[in-house]
Amino acid sequence: MRKLRKRRGNSRYYLLFIVLAFLFLSMIMGFSHLVRHLSMFNIHRIIIVGNQNLDENFLQDLAAEFIGENLYSIPVRNVSNKYEDIVRIASLRVSRSFPNRLKIMINERIGYVYIRTIEGSLVPLNIQRIILDAKGIYPQEDLPIIHSRLSVSDLTTGSILDDDHIEKILNVHELILKSNIDERSISEYYIQNNNIYLIESMTGSKVILGDKDFPQRIQKLEFVMDNIGLNRRSTVDPRFDGQVVIR
């Protein structure tokens, strides 16, 4: 009878595979260790992207402590934590830009309207009704003002504003934005005797929108502004059926 040969090759392949895998992992760990300690990867510059109103130098200064540290040794979470208390920042992403730049991409909350308090302060509000920091008034944010009965102490930075009167005006403002009326032509909104008023910015004219039928009345106002025009400090009343009273 012929003797069967023992198969010895497979175990050698397994051993070779383990040795190669160990060498490969050792090379990766060694390379990682080298990268984390080479001075050529020390952070030289912080790049800010996406900010619209927030000052770039201010944002760079918040992460200035990472200048000189190795780009690949610092956790990105440590960087993002520096910005978590800024209510103007809705979200951000930190990335490493080879070989020595730290990139911070910002999604910034933008003002939608100003809330005027009973003390006369202007507090910006974004479209999601989040109260932005009152100190963050930026010249490039030319926003309409909503007069309120609220105090500064009623407006907590970072919280969502819940006020029926202001919400009613915001709904009207959204209708204005959807119309062909230039949004920059409306400077102020306020409520008096349950009627919504707005002020046209170029002439200072007062428009009485009332308390209902806002789409139809805004359409009338649009017709007047496009075809007749507004006189300085006139009063426009589109509440009547089939007509607009101007005085």
Side-chain angles (χ1 to χ4, degrees), residues 5-245:
R5 294 183 178 181
K6 295 182 179 179
R7 297 181 180 179
R8 300 177 180 177
N10 290 343
S11 60
R12 294 176 182 175
Y13 288 131
Y14 290 143
L15 180 61
L16 179 61
F17 175 78
I18 292 172
V19 171
L20 290 176
F22 178 77
L23 290 174
F24 180 71
L25 290 174
S26 297
M27 290 174 62
I28 292 177
M29 293 177 64
F31 179 75
S32 176
H33 179 78
L34 181 65
V35 166
R36 291 169 184 268
H37 290 82
L38 282 177
S39 60
M40 67 174 291
F41 296 116
N42 290 351
I43 298 172
H44 287 181
R45 184 183 173 193
I46 296 173
I47 301 172
I48 305 295
V49 178
N51 58 308
Q52 299 185 44
N53 294 310
L54 291 171
D55 182 69
E56 183 176 348
N57 291 330
F58 163 71
L59 296 172
Q60 289 174 331
D61 288 344
L62 289 176
E65 67 181 73
F66 300 107
I67 295 289
E69 292 196 28
N70 188 277
L71 180 64
Y72 298 96
S73 66
I74 59 171
V76 294
R77 181 62 184 171
N78 289 3
V79 180
S80 61
N81 284 344
K82 297 294 181 180
Y83 300 87
E84 63 182 1
D85 292 332
I86 302 177
V87 71
R88 283 265 177 178
I89 296 179
S91 62
L92 63 79
R93 185 162 64 92
V94 179
S95 63
R96 301 177 176 95
S97 183
F98 183 85
N100 51 27
R101 293 181 297 177
L102 190 66
K103 189 174 183 180
I104 302 173
M105 290 157 283
I106 289 174
N107 177 23
E108 185 176 332
R109 292 188 175 103
I110 303 301
Y112 185 55
V113 296
Y114 287 122
I115 305 300
R116 185 180 180 88
T117 67
I118 57 176
E119 296 90 354
S121 299
L122 296 179
V123 179
L125 189 76
N126 83 335
I127 195 170
Q128 286 82 29
R129 283 45 169 176
I130 295 175
I131 300 168
L132 306 180
D133 50 314
K135 296 180 181 179
I137 303 297
Y138 301 97
Q140 56 268 42
E141 282 192 338
D142 186 13
L143 308 174
I145 296 170
I146 296 178
H147 294 260
S148 77
R149 301 173 184 173
L150 300 173
S151 172
V152 171
S153 60
D154 298 322
L155 303 175
T156 303
T157 298
S159 65
I160 296 177
L161 181 62
D162 184 13
D163 182 274
D164 292 340
H165 287 86
I166 291 177
E167 187 62 31
K168 188 176 181 180
I169 292 176
L170 287 172
N171 291 334
V172 169
H173 181 57
E174 289 170 4
L175 291 173
I176 293 285
L177 296 181
K178 291 177 182 178
S179 73
N180 292 323
I181 297 174
D182 186 352
E183 62 181 286
R184 294 171 298 180
S185 67
I186 309 301
S187 61
E188 299 176 50
Y189 294 93
Y190 62 94
I191 293 180
Q192 182 177 313
N193 297 325
N194 294 323
N195 291 314
I196 291 182
Y197 289 72
L198 60 84
I199 303 298
E200 197 273 337
S201 58
M202 297 297 293
T203 64
S205 295
K206 178 171 62 176
V207 180
I208 310 172
L209 287 180
D211 60 354
K212 62 181 180 179
D213 300 331
F214 298 119
Q216 295 85 350
R217 292 172 184 179
I218 289 172
Q219 190 174 18
K220 290 181 183 179
L221 173 62
E222 183 181 334
F223 177 84
V224 170
M225 295 176 74
D226 289 343
N227 296 278
I228 302 174
L230 301 178
N231 296 323
R232 184 170 178 79
R233 297 196 177 279
S234 59
T235 298
V236 182
D237 193 342
R239 292 177 294 173
F240 304 96
D241 292 336
Q243 61 178 323
V244 177
V245 176

